[in-house]
Amino acid sequence: MKDMTNQLTLRVADISEAEALIELTHAAFAEYELTPYPSRVAEETAETIRGQMAAGDRVFVVERGADKLACVRCRVDGDALYFYRLAVYP
């Protein structure tokens, strides 16, 4: 039988996962808080993500088992697809 312990899964996140997504995002951006120009991601909350998702944005998540390793948010605007807040667990 194939060992699946290192298998990665890419999927669209559900709005109910907003708390876990913001925790992952904050962890990924934490090192930038001490820079002269810190990211504004620290001001975001789970409610921020819920609002973005309710407005039509999507969040893609990379997981290994139950562990969320990375996520990226995206938005369609006309003919363009914008990716933002790429977060990789440190």
Side-chain angles (χ1 to χ4, degrees):
M1 185 158 216
K2 186 176 179 181
D3 179 6
M4 305 289 258
T5 57
N6 287 324
Q7 183 175 344
L8 298 177
T9 303
L10 173 66
R11 65 176 181 80
V12 177
D14 185 77
I15 199 166
S16 66
E17 298 175 277
E19 288 290 340
L21 296 169
I22 199 63
E23 288 175 16
L24 169 60
T25 304
H26 284 165
F29 282 82
E31 68 180 282
Y32 300 107
E33 289 305 307
L34 301 177
T35 66
Y37 304 101
S39 170
R40 296 187 65 174
V41 73
E43 299 171 13
E44 295 180 354
T45 65
E47 193 57 39
T48 304
I49 293 177
R50 284 197 261 318
Q52 292 165 341
M53 292 177 82
D57 291 9
R58 295 292 172 254
V59 182
F60 290 93
V61 181
V62 175
E63 296 174 316
R64 180 179 294 132
D67 297 326
K68 288 177 177 48
L69 304 179
C71 65
V72 63
R73 300 179 216 173
C74 66
R75 167 181 305 133
V76 175
D77 185 5
D79 292 339
L81 175 63
Y82 296 95
F83 289 91
Y84 64 103
R85 292 290 191 251
L86 173 63
V88 178
Y89 190 79

